[in-house]
Amino acid sequence: MSRKSGIGHEALLKRKAEEKLENYRRKIHVKTQAEEKAAEQFRLRLKHKQDEVKLEGDLRRSQRACQQLDTQKNIQVPRESWYWLGLEEETEEEEEEEKEHDEDEYKSEDLSVLEKLQILTGYLREEHLYCIWCGTAYEDKEDLSSNCPGPTSADHD
């Protein structure tokens, strides 16, 4: 039996099949890109969460070290209540009263964990010549600057 179709019908069918295949490939490509983007966003969220947990741990270590070193220097009250671990919650009411009198002072709630960590490690380095990442109290500023890689966790990697 012979097929009866016009001239160019085969080419039309072939072109339509190629278009369907190209549309399918395009859909697969878009879907793959969306899945890759979602996976990357998930990885970024996970890394961000891990970084946050690490920062919080470093802050707690700094607070413990600060309390211990301040106490050794016979400092009874921290420079800021959040410098010592667990003290911030106890003194929130007192702070509210103080803050009403001094509006220029920053509130610890306004600071991120990273900002608190930077401030506190700066205080530990300046006041106690101590680096939490080295775990060392240095003899003097020169000892600190020549033997400690720097003021951040990344400096110690």
Side-chain angles (χ1 to χ4, degrees):
M1 265 215 213
S2 67
R3 292 174 58 185
K4 295 185 179 184
S5 57
I7 299 174
H9 184 71
E10 293 274 329
L12 177 67
L13 288 176
K14 185 177 178 185
R15 195 179 83 237
K16 284 189 176 188
E18 285 172 355
E19 284 174 7
K20 277 177 100 173
L21 183 59
E22 185 55 38
N23 284 339
Y24 176 75
R25 285 182 179 145
R26 202 178 355 247
K27 283 180 187 175
I28 293 295
H29 181 70
V30 167
K31 184 179 177 186
T32 303
Q33 278 187 321
E35 287 170 353
E36 286 171 1
K37 186 176 179 181
E40 180 62 24
Q41 287 173 335
F42 174 76
R43 281 191 295 276
L44 287 173
R45 281 194 309 274
L46 187 62
K47 180 168 178 8
H48 179 73
K49 184 67 182 164
Q50 289 169 337
D51 291 347
E52 219 172 80
V53 167
K54 184 180 182 324
L55 284 176
E56 288 167 358
D58 286 347
L59 179 61
R60 282 191 304 277
R61 282 180 33 223
S62 296
Q63 289 169 318
R64 276 192 295 274
C66 185
Q67 187 167 2
Q68 184 179 2
L69 292 166
D70 279 354
T71 304
Q72 287 172 3
K73 274 193 170 182
N74 211 19
I75 298 172
Q76 303 297 316
V77 179
R79 187 175 289 180
E80 296 288 336
S81 62
W82 58 267
Y83 276 27
W84 290 5
L85 195 59
L87 198 63
E88 188 170 20
E89 297 81 21
E90 297 168 16
T91 59
E92 270 181 15
E93 291 171 11
E94 296 167 17
E95 280 184 16
E96 287 305 315
E97 294 167 10
E98 288 174 23
K99 300 289 187 211
E100 289 170 12
H101 300 301
D102 188 3
E103 292 298 319
D104 294 335
E105 192 177 333
Y106 61 83
K107 295 179 184 168
S108 68
E109 309 88 68
D110 296 338
L111 296 171
S112 71
V113 172
L114 177 60
E115 290 167 326
K116 284 182 178 181
L117 180 61
Q118 289 170 333
I119 291 167
L120 188 51
T121 53
Y123 170 79
L124 289 169
R125 292 174 73 81
E126 188 65 32
E127 188 68 27
H128 299 291
L129 303 169
Y130 183 77
C131 173
I132 65 160
W133 294 288
C134 293
T136 304
Y138 291 91
E139 294 295 318
D140 52 36
K141 287 184 191 257
E142 192 198 315
D143 185 24
L144 174 68
S145 65
S146 59
N147 293 310
C148 176
T152 67
S153 172
D155 294 330
H156 292 77
D157 287 344

